[in-house]
Coordinates of all heavy atoms in Angstrom, one line a residue:
M681 N 0.9 -1.1 0.0 CA 0.0 0.0 0.0 C 0.9 1.2 0.0 O 1.9 1.3 0.7 CB -0.9 0.0 1.2 CG -1.9 1.1 1.3 SD -3.3 0.9 2.1 CE -3.2 1.7 3.6
V682 N 0.5 2.3 -0.8 CA 1.3 3.5 -0.9 C 0.9 4.3 0.3 O -0.2 4.6 0.7 CB 0.9 4.2 -2.2 CG1 1.7 5.5 -2.3 CG2 1.2 3.3 -3.4
K683 N 2.0 4.9 0.9 CA 1.8 5.8 2.0 C 1.3 7.1 1.6 O 1.6 7.5 0.4 CB 3.2 6.1 2.7 CG 3.8 4.8 3.3 CD 5.1 5.2 4.0 CE 5.8 4.0 4.5 NZ 7.1 4.3 5.0
P684 N 0.4 7.8 2.3 CA 0.0 9.1 1.9 C 1.0 10.1 1.8 O 2.1 10.0 2.5 CB -1.0 9.5 3.0 CG -0.7 8.6 4.1 CD 0.0 7.4 3.6
K685 N 0.9 11.1 1.0 CA 1.9 12.2 0.8 C 2.2 12.9 2.1 O 1.2 13.3 2.8 CB 1.4 13.2 -0.3 CG 2.5 14.2 -0.6 CD 2.0 15.1 -1.7 CE 3.0 16.2 -1.9 NZ 2.5 17.2 -2.8
V686 N 3.4 13.1 2.4 CA 3.7 13.9 3.6 C 4.2 15.3 3.2 O 5.0 15.4 2.2 CB 4.9 13.2 4.4 CG1 5.3 14.0 5.6 CG2 4.5 11.8 4.7
E687 N 3.7 16.4 3.7 CA 4.1 17.7 3.3 C 5.6 17.9 3.3 O 6.1 18.6 2.5 CB 3.4 18.7 4.2 CG 1.8 18.7 4.0 CD 1.5 19.2 2.5 OE1 2.2 20.1 2.0 OE2 0.6 18.7 2.0
S688 N 6.3 17.5 4.3 CA 7.8 17.7 4.3 C 8.6 16.7 3.6 O 9.8 16.7 3.8 CB 8.2 17.8 5.8 OG 7.9 16.5 6.4
E689 N 8.0 15.9 2.8 CA 8.6 14.8 2.1 C 9.6 15.4 1.0 O 9.2 16.3 0.2 CB 7.7 13.9 1.5 CG 8.2 12.7 0.8 CD 7.1 11.7 0.3 OE1 6.1 12.3 -0.3 OE2 7.3 10.5 0.4
T690 N 10.8 14.9 1.0 CA 11.8 15.4 0.0 C 11.4 14.7 -1.4 O 10.7 13.7 -1.5 CB 13.2 15.1 0.3 OG1 13.3 13.7 0.3 CG2 13.6 15.6 1.7
K691 N 12.0 15.4 -2.5 CA 11.8 14.8 -3.8 C 12.3 13.4 -3.9 O 11.8 12.6 -4.5 CB 12.5 15.7 -4.9 CG 11.8 17.0 -5.1 CD 12.5 17.7 -6.3 CE 11.8 18.9 -6.7 NZ 12.6 19.6 -7.8
D692 N 13.5 13.2 -3.3 CA 14.1 11.9 -3.3 C 13.3 10.9 -2.5 O 13.0 9.8 -3.1 CB 15.5 12.0 -2.6 CG 16.3 10.7 -2.8 OD1 16.4 10.2 -3.8 OD2 16.7 10.2 -1.7
A693 N 12.8 11.2 -1.4 CA 11.9 10.3 -0.6 C 10.6 10.0 -1.4 O 10.1 8.9 -1.4 CB 11.6 10.9 0.7
R694 N 10.0 11.0 -2.0 CA 8.8 10.8 -2.8 C 9.1 9.9 -4.0 O 8.3 9.0 -4.3 CB 8.3 12.2 -3.3 CG 6.9 12.1 -4.0 CD 6.2 13.4 -4.2 NE 7.2 14.4 -5.0 CZ 7.6 15.5 -4.4 NH1 7.3 15.9 -3.2 NH2 8.4 16.3 -5.2
F695 N 10.2 10.1 -4.7 CA 10.5 9.2 -5.7 C 10.7 7.7 -5.3 O 10.1 6.9 -6.0 CB 11.9 9.7 -6.4 CG 12.4 8.8 -7.5 CD1 11.8 8.7 -8.7 CD2 13.4 7.8 -7.1 CE1 12.3 7.8 -9.7 CE2 13.8 6.9 -8.0 CZ 13.3 6.9 -9.3
K696 N 11.4 7.6 -4.2 CA 11.6 6.2 -3.7 C 10.3 5.6 -3.4 O 10.0 4.3 -3.6 CB 12.5 6.2 -2.5 CG 13.9 6.5 -2.9 CD 14.9 6.6 -1.7 CE 16.3 7.0 -2.2 NZ 17.2 7.1 -1.1
R697 N 9.4 6.3 -2.6 CA 8.1 5.8 -2.3 C 7.2 5.4 -3.5 O 6.8 4.2 -3.5 CB 7.3 6.9 -1.4 CG 6.0 6.5 -1.0 CD 5.3 7.5 -0.1 NE 5.3 8.8 -0.6 CZ 4.3 9.3 -1.4 NH1 3.4 8.5 -1.8 NH2 4.4 10.5 -1.8
I698 N 7.1 6.3 -4.4 CA 6.2 6.0 -5.5 C 6.8 5.1 -6.5 O 6.1 4.1 -7.0 CB 5.9 7.4 -6.2 CG1 5.1 8.3 -5.3 CG2 5.2 7.2 -7.6 CD1 4.8 9.7 -5.8
A699 N 8.2 5.2 -6.8 CA 8.8 4.3 -7.7 C 8.8 2.8 -7.2 O 8.6 1.9 -8.0 CB 10.2 4.7 -8.0
S700 N 9.0 2.7 -5.9 CA 9.0 1.3 -5.4 C 7.6 0.7 -5.5 O 7.5 -0.5 -5.8 CB 9.3 1.4 -3.8 OG 10.7 1.8 -3.8
A701 N 6.6 1.4 -5.2 CA 5.2 0.9 -5.3 C 4.9 0.6 -6.7 O 4.3 -0.6 -7.0 CB 4.2 1.9 -4.7
R702 N 5.2 1.4 -7.6 CA 4.9 1.2 -9.0 C 5.7 0.0 -9.6 O 5.1 -0.8 -10.4 CB 5.1 2.4 -9.8 CG 4.1 3.5 -9.5 CD 4.3 4.8 -10.3 NE 3.3 5.8 -9.9 CZ 3.3 7.0 -10.3 NH1 4.1 7.4 -11.3 NH2 2.3 7.8 -9.9
T703 N 6.9 -0.1 -9.2 CA 7.8 -1.2 -9.6 C 7.2 -2.5 -9.1 O 7.1 -3.5 -9.9 CB 9.2 -1.0 -9.3 OG1 9.7 0.2 -9.8 CG2 10.1 -2.2 -9.7
S704 N 6.9 -2.6 -7.9 CA 6.3 -3.8 -7.3 C 5.0 -4.2 -8.1 O 4.8 -5.4 -8.3 CB 6.0 -3.5 -5.8 OG 7.2 -3.4 -5.1
R705 N 4.2 -3.2 -8.4 CA 2.9 -3.5 -9.0 C 3.2 -4.0 -10.5 O 2.6 -5.0 -10.9 CB 2.1 -2.2 -9.2 CG 0.7 -2.4 -9.6 CD -0.2 -1.2 -9.5 NE 0.3 -0.1 -10.3 CZ 0.5 1.1 -9.9 NH1 0.2 1.5 -8.6 NH2 0.9 2.1 -10.7
I706 N 4.2 -3.5 -11.2 CA 4.5 -3.9 -12.5 C 5.1 -5.4 -12.4 O 4.7 -6.2 -13.2 CB 5.6 -3.0 -13.1 CG1 5.0 -1.7 -13.5 CG2 6.2 -3.7 -14.4 CD1 6.0 -0.6 -13.8
L707 N 5.9 -5.6 -11.5 CA 6.5 -7.0 -11.3 C 5.4 -8.0 -11.0 O 5.4 -9.1 -11.5 CB 7.6 -7.1 -10.3 CG 8.9 -6.3 -10.6 CD1 9.8 -6.2 -9.4 CD2 9.6 -6.8 -11.9
D708 N 4.4 -7.6 -10.1 CA 3.3 -8.5 -9.8 C 2.5 -8.8 -11.0 O 2.2 -10.0 -11.3 CB 2.4 -7.9 -8.7 CG 3.1 -7.9 -7.4 OD1 4.1 -8.7 -7.2 OD2 2.6 -7.2 -6.5
D709 N 2.3 -7.8 -11.9 CA 1.5 -7.9 -13.1 C 2.2 -8.9 -14.1 O 1.6 -9.7 -14.8 CB 1.1 -6.6 -13.7 CG -0.1 -5.9 -12.9 OD1 -0.6 -6.5 -12.1 OD2 -0.2 -4.7 -13.2
L710 N 3.5 -8.7 -14.1 CA 4.3 -9.6 -15.1 C 4.2 -11.0 -14.6 O 4.1 -11.9 -15.4 CB 5.8 -9.1 -15.2 CG 6.0 -7.9 -16.0 CD1 7.4 -7.4 -15.9 CD2 5.6 -8.2 -17.5
R711 N 4.3 -11.2 -13.3 CA 4.1 -12.6 -12.8 C 2.7 -13.2 -13.1 O 2.6 -14.3 -13.5 CB 4.3 -12.6 -11.2 CG 5.8 -12.4 -10.9 CD 6.0 -12.5 -9.4 NE 7.3 -12.0 -9.1 CZ 7.5 -10.8 -8.5 NH1 6.5 -10.0 -8.2 NH2 8.8 -10.4 -8.3
L712 N 1.7 -12.4 -13.0 CA 0.4 -12.8 -13.4 C 0.3 -13.0 -14.9 O -0.4 -14.1 -15.3 CB -0.6 -11.6 -13.0 CG -1.0 -11.5 -11.5 CD1 -1.8 -10.3 -11.3 CD2 -1.5 -12.8 -10.9
L713 N 0.9 -12.3 -15.7 CA 0.9 -12.5 -17.1 C 1.6 -13.8 -17.4 O 1.1 -14.6 -18.2 CB 1.7 -11.4 -17.9 CG 1.8 -11.6 -19.4 CD1 0.5 -11.6 -20.0 CD2 2.7 -10.4 -19.9
G714 N 2.6 -14.1 -16.6 CA 3.3 -15.5 -16.8 C 2.4 -16.6 -16.5 O 2.6 -17.7 -17.2
N715 N 1.4 -16.4 -15.8 CA 0.4 -17.5 -15.5 C -0.3 -17.9 -16.8 O -0.9 -19.0 -16.9 CB -0.7 -17.1 -14.4 CG 0.0 -16.9 -13.1 OD1 1.1 -17.5 -12.8 ND2 -0.7 -16.2 -12.2
C716 N -0.5 -17.0 -17.7 CA -1.2 -17.2 -18.9 C -0.4 -18.2 -19.9 O -0.9 -18.7 -20.8 CB -1.4 -15.9 -19.7 SG -2.6 -14.8 -18.9
A717 N 0.9 -18.5 -19.5 CA 1.7 -19.6 -20.3 C 1.2 -21.0 -20.0 O 1.6 -21.9 -20.6 CB 3.1 -19.3 -19.8
N718 N 0.3 -21.1 -19.0 CA -0.2 -22.5 -18.6 C -1.2 -22.9 -19.7 O -2.3 -22.5 -19.8 CB -0.9 -22.4 -17.3 CG -1.3 -23.8 -16.8 OD1 -1.4 -24.7 -17.6 ND2 -1.5 -23.9 -15.5
T719 N -0.6 -23.9 -20.5 CA -1.5 -24.3 -21.7 C -2.6 -25.2 -21.2 O -3.5 -25.5 -22.0 CB -0.6 -25.1 -22.7 OG1 0.1 -26.1 -22.1 CG2 0.3 -24.1 -23.4
S720 N -2.7 -25.6 -19.9 CA -3.8 -26.4 -19.5 C -5.0 -25.5 -19.3 O -6.2 -26.0 -19.3 CB -3.5 -27.0 -18.1 OG -2.4 -27.9 -18.2
H721 N -4.7 -24.2 -19.2 CA -5.9 -23.3 -18.9 C -6.1 -22.3 -20.1 O -7.1 -21.7 -20.3 CB -5.7 -22.5 -17.7 CG -5.7 -23.4 -16.4 ND1 -6.8 -24.1 -16.0 CD2 -4.6 -23.7 -15.7 CE1 -6.5 -24.7 -14.9 NE2 -5.2 -24.6 -14.7
Y722 N -5.0 -22.1 -20.9 CA -5.1 -21.0 -21.9 C -4.5 -21.5 -23.3 O -3.6 -22.4 -23.3 CB -4.3 -19.8 -21.5 CG -4.6 -19.2 -20.1 CD1 -3.8 -19.5 -19.0 CD2 -5.7 -18.4 -20.1 CE1 -4.2 -19.0 -17.8 CE2 -6.1 -17.9 -18.8 CZ -5.3 -18.2 -17.7 OH -5.7 -17.7 -16.5
G723 N -5.1 -20.9 -24.3 CA -4.6 -21.3 -25.7 C -4.1 -20.0 -26.3 O -4.7 -18.9 -26.2
Y724 N -2.9 -20.1 -27.0 CA -2.4 -18.9 -27.6 C -1.4 -19.3 -28.7 O -0.9 -20.5 -28.8 CB -1.6 -18.1 -26.6 CG -0.5 -18.8 -25.8 CD1 0.7 -19.0 -26.3 CD2 -0.9 -19.4 -24.6 CE1 1.6 -19.7 -25.6 CE2 0.1 -20.1 -23.8 CZ 1.4 -20.3 -24.3 OH 2.3 -20.9 -23.6
T725 N -1.1 -18.4 -29.6 CA -0.1 -18.7 -30.6 C 1.2 -18.0 -30.3 O 1.2 -17.0 -29.5 CB -0.7 -18.2 -32.0 OG1 -0.8 -16.7 -31.9 CG2 -2.1 -18.7 -32.3
E726 N 2.2 -18.4 -31.0 CA 3.5 -17.7 -31.0 C 3.4 -16.3 -31.4 O 4.1 -15.4 -30.8 CB 4.6 -18.5 -31.7 CG 5.0 -19.8 -31.1 CD 5.5 -19.6 -29.7 OE1 6.4 -18.7 -29.4 OE2 5.2 -20.4 -28.8
N727 N 2.6 -16.0 -32.4 CA 2.3 -14.7 -32.9 C 1.7 -13.8 -31.8 O 2.2 -12.6 -31.6 CB 1.4 -14.6 -34.0 CG 1.3 -13.3 -34.7 OD1 2.3 -12.6 -34.9 ND2 0.1 -12.9 -35.1
E728 N 0.7 -14.3 -31.1 CA 0.2 -13.5 -30.0 C 1.2 -13.2 -28.9 O 1.2 -12.1 -28.4 CB -1.0 -14.3 -29.4 CG -2.2 -14.4 -30.3 CD -3.2 -15.3 -29.8 OE1 -3.0 -16.4 -29.2 OE2 -4.5 -15.1 -30.3
V729 N 2.0 -14.2 -28.5 CA 3.0 -14.0 -27.5 C 4.0 -13.0 -28.0 O 4.4 -12.1 -27.2 CB 3.7 -15.3 -27.2 CG1 4.9 -15.1 -26.2 CG2 2.7 -16.3 -26.6
G730 N 4.4 -13.1 -29.2 CA 5.3 -12.1 -29.8 C 4.8 -10.7 -29.7 O 5.5 -9.7 -29.4
K731 N 3.5 -10.5 -30.0 CA 2.9 -9.1 -29.9 C 2.9 -8.6 -28.5 O 3.2 -7.4 -28.3 CB 1.4 -9.3 -30.5 CG 1.3 -9.3 -31.9 CD -0.2 -9.3 -32.3 CE -0.3 -9.5 -33.9 NZ -1.7 -9.5 -34.2
I732 N 2.6 -9.5 -27.5 CA 2.6 -9.1 -26.1 C 4.0 -8.6 -25.7 O 4.2 -7.5 -25.1 CB 2.2 -10.3 -25.2 CG1 0.7 -10.6 -25.4 CG2 2.5 -10.0 -23.7 CD1 0.2 -11.9 -24.8
F733 N 5.0 -9.4 -26.0 CA 6.4 -9.0 -25.5 C 7.0 -7.8 -26.4 O 7.8 -7.1 -25.8 CB 7.3 -10.3 -25.5 CG 6.9 -11.1 -24.3 CD1 6.2 -12.2 -24.4 CD2 7.3 -10.7 -23.0 CE1 5.8 -13.0 -23.3 CE2 7.0 -11.5 -21.9 CZ 6.2 -12.6 -22.1
T734 N 6.6 -7.8 -27.7 CA 7.0 -6.6 -28.4 C 6.5 -5.3 -27.8 O 7.2 -4.3 -27.6 CB 6.5 -6.7 -29.9 OG1 7.1 -7.9 -30.5 CG2 6.9 -5.5 -30.7
A735 N 5.2 -5.4 -27.4 CA 4.5 -4.2 -26.8 C 5.2 -3.8 -25.5 O 5.5 -2.6 -25.1 CB 3.1 -4.3 -26.6
I736 N 5.5 -4.9 -24.7 CA 6.2 -4.6 -23.3 C 7.5 -4.1 -23.5 O 7.9 -3.1 -22.9 CB 6.2 -5.9 -22.5 CG1 4.8 -6.3 -22.1 CG2 7.1 -5.9 -21.3 CD1 4.6 -7.7 -21.5
E737 N 8.3 -4.7 -24.4 CA 9.7 -4.3 -24.6 C 9.8 -2.8 -25.2 O 10.6 -2.1 -24.8 CB 10.4 -5.2 -25.5 CG 10.7 -6.5 -24.9 CD 11.1 -7.7 -25.8 OE1 11.1 -7.4 -27.1 OE2 11.4 -8.8 -25.3
K738 N 8.8 -2.5 -26.0 CA 8.7 -1.2 -26.6 C 8.5 -0.1 -25.5 O 9.1 0.9 -25.5 CB 7.7 -1.0 -27.8 CG 7.6 0.3 -28.4 CD 6.4 0.2 -29.5 CE 6.3 1.6 -30.1 NZ 5.2 1.5 -31.2
E739 N 7.5 -0.4 -24.7 CA 7.2 0.6 -23.6 C 8.3 0.6 -22.6 O 8.6 1.7 -22.1 CB 5.8 0.2 -23.0 CG 5.4 1.2 -22.0 CD 5.1 2.6 -22.6 OE1 4.9 2.6 -23.9 OE2 5.1 3.6 -21.8
L740 N 9.0 -0.4 -22.3 CA 10.0 -0.5 -21.3 C 11.2 0.3 -21.9 O 11.8 1.2 -21.1 CB 10.5 -1.9 -21.1 CG 11.7 -2.1 -20.2 CD1 11.4 -1.6 -18.8 CD2 12.1 -3.5 -20.1
K741 N 11.5 0.2 -23.2 CA 12.5 1.1 -23.8 C 12.2 2.5 -23.8 O 13.1 3.4 -23.4 CB 12.8 0.5 -25.3 CG 13.9 1.3 -26.0 CD 14.2 0.7 -27.4 CE 15.2 1.5 -28.0 NZ 15.5 0.9 -29.4
R742 N 11.0 2.8 -24.1 CA 10.6 4.2 -24.0 C 10.7 4.8 -22.6 O 11.2 5.9 -22.3 CB 9.2 4.4 -24.5 CG 8.6 5.8 -24.6 CD 7.2 6.0 -24.8 NE 6.4 5.6 -23.5 CZ 6.4 6.5 -22.6 NH1 6.9 7.7 -22.6 NH2 5.7 6.1 -21.5
T743 N 10.1 4.1 -21.6 CA 10.2 4.5 -20.2 C 11.6 4.6 -19.7 O 12.0 5.7 -19.1 CB 9.4 3.5 -19.3 OG1 8.1 3.4 -19.9 CG2 9.4 4.0 -17.9
K744 N 12.4 3.7 -20.1 CA 13.9 3.7 -19.7 C 14.5 5.0 -20.3 O 15.4 5.6 -19.5 CB 14.6 2.5 -20.1 CG 16.0 2.3 -19.6 CD 16.5 0.9 -19.9 CE 17.9 0.7 -19.3 NZ 18.5 -0.6 -19.7
S745 N 14.2 5.4 -21.5 CA 14.8 6.6 -22.1 C 14.5 7.8 -21.4 O 15.2 8.8 -21.4 CB 14.4 6.6 -23.6 OG 13.1 7.1 -23.7
L746 N 13.3 7.9 -20.7 CA 12.9 9.0 -19.9 C 13.9 9.3 -18.8 O 14.1 10.4 -18.4 CB 11.6 8.9 -19.4 CG 10.4 8.7 -20.4 CD1 9.0 8.4 -19.7 CD2 10.3 10.0 -21.3
F747 N 14.6 8.2 -18.3 CA 15.4 8.4 -17.2 C 16.9 8.7 -17.6 O 17.7 9.0 -16.8 CB 15.4 7.1 -16.4 CG 14.2 7.0 -15.5 CD1 13.2 6.2 -16.0 CD2 14.2 7.5 -14.2 CE1 12.0 6.0 -15.3 CE2 13.0 7.4 -13.4 CZ 12.0 6.6 -13.9
S748 N 17.1 8.7 -18.9 CA 18.5 9.0 -19.5 C 18.8 10.5 -19.3 O 18.0 11.4 -19.6 CB 18.5 8.6 -20.9 OG 19.8 9.0 -21.5
T749 N 20.0 10.8 -18.8 CA 20.3 12.2 -18.6 C 21.2 12.7 -19.7 O 21.6 13.9 -19.7 CB 21.1 12.4 -17.2 OG1 22.2 11.5 -17.3 CG2 20.2 12.1 -16.0
Q750 N 21.5 11.9 -20.6 CA 22.3 12.3 -21.8 C 21.5 13.1 -22.8 O 20.4 12.7 -23.2 CB 22.7 11.0 -22.6 CG 23.7 10.2 -21.7 CD 24.2 8.9 -22.5 OE1 23.6 8.7 -23.6 NE2 25.1 8.3 -22.0
L751 N 22.0 14.3 -23.0 CA 21.4 15.2 -24.0 C 22.2 15.0 -25.3 O 23.4 15.2 -25.4 CB 21.4 16.6 -23.5 CG 20.7 16.9 -22.2 CD1 20.8 18.3 -21.8 CD2 19.2 16.6 -22.4
T752 N 21.4 14.9 -26.4 CA 22.1 14.8 -27.7 C 22.1 16.1 -28.3 O 21.1 16.7 -28.6 CB 21.4 13.7 -28.6 OG1 20.1 14.0 -28.7 CG2 21.6 12.3 -28.1
E753 N 23.2 16.6 -28.5 CA 23.5 17.9 -29.1 C 24.2 17.8 -30.5 O 25.1 16.9 -30.6 CB 24.3 18.8 -28.2 CG 23.5 19.2 -26.9 CD 24.3 20.2 -26.1 OE1 25.1 20.9 -26.7 OE2 24.0 20.2 -24.9
F754 N 23.8 18.6 -31.4 CA 24.3 18.5 -32.8 C 25.7 19.3 -32.8 O 25.8 20.4 -32.2 CB 23.4 19.0 -33.8 CG 24.1 19.1 -35.1 CD1 24.1 17.9 -35.9 CD2 24.5 20.3 -35.7 CE1 24.7 18.0 -37.2 CE2 25.1 20.3 -37.0 CZ 25.2 19.2 -37.7
S755 N 26.7 18.7 -33.4 CA 28.0 19.4 -33.5 C 28.7 19.0 -34.8 O 28.6 17.8 -35.1 CB 28.9 19.2 -32.3 OG 30.1 19.8 -32.5
L756 N 29.3 19.9 -35.4 CA 30.0 19.5 -36.6 C 31.5 19.3 -36.3 O 32.3 19.0 -37.2 CB 29.9 20.6 -37.7 CG 28.5 20.8 -38.4 CD1 28.6 22.0 -39.3 CD2 28.2 19.6 -39.1
E757 N 31.9 19.5 -35.1 CA 33.3 19.2 -34.7 C 33.6 17.8 -34.5 O 32.9 17.0 -34.1 CB 33.6 20.1 -33.5 CG 33.4 21.6 -33.7 CD 33.6 22.4 -32.5 OE1 34.1 21.8 -31.4 OE2 33.3 23.6 -32.6

């Protein structure tokens, strides 16, 4: 459960609180998605699986790039 916002909370503390909760939720959801691999209960094609992981990998790459501090600047030198 996410703790309520504290007025004197620092940016660093807020990041750790929110990022930890969101990361835990994502990991839990990925574990649940893994349950869909049980062919006793679900039917799927390799194409469907490919689409799922392509979408996940694409969003992961986009999100990871948001945390990049590298600025690309143009230079002729």
Side-chain angles (χ1 to χ4, degrees):
M681 182 150 106
V682 177
K683 296 179 185 177
K685 182 179 177 183
V686 179
E687 288 298 322
S688 62
E689 186 176 43
T690 65
K691 286 183 175 183
D692 186 53
R694 185 171 53 246
F695 172 79
K696 288 177 183 177
R697 176 177 54 84
I698 292 172
S700 293
R702 291 179 182 178
T703 301
S704 293
R705 191 170 62 227
I706 290 166
L707 293 174
D708 287 343
D709 285 346
L710 284 171
R711 288 184 196 102
L712 288 173
L713 178 60
N715 291 343
C716 292
N718 185 341
T719 55
S720 296
H721 298 291
Y722 306 101
Y724 53 86
T725 66
E726 289 298 316
N727 186 46
E728 292 168 330
V729 172
K731 286 180 181 181
I732 290 168
F733 287 101
T734 297
I736 291 170
E737 290 165 356
K738 182 178 177 181
E739 188 60 23
L740 179 60
K741 184 177 179 179
R742 187 196 71 78
T743 303
K744 191 173 181 179
S745 73
L746 296 173
F747 287 92
S748 175
T749 57
Q750 294 179 352
L751 299 175
T752 55
E753 294 184 21
F754 177 76
S755 174
L756 292 175
E757 296 176 11

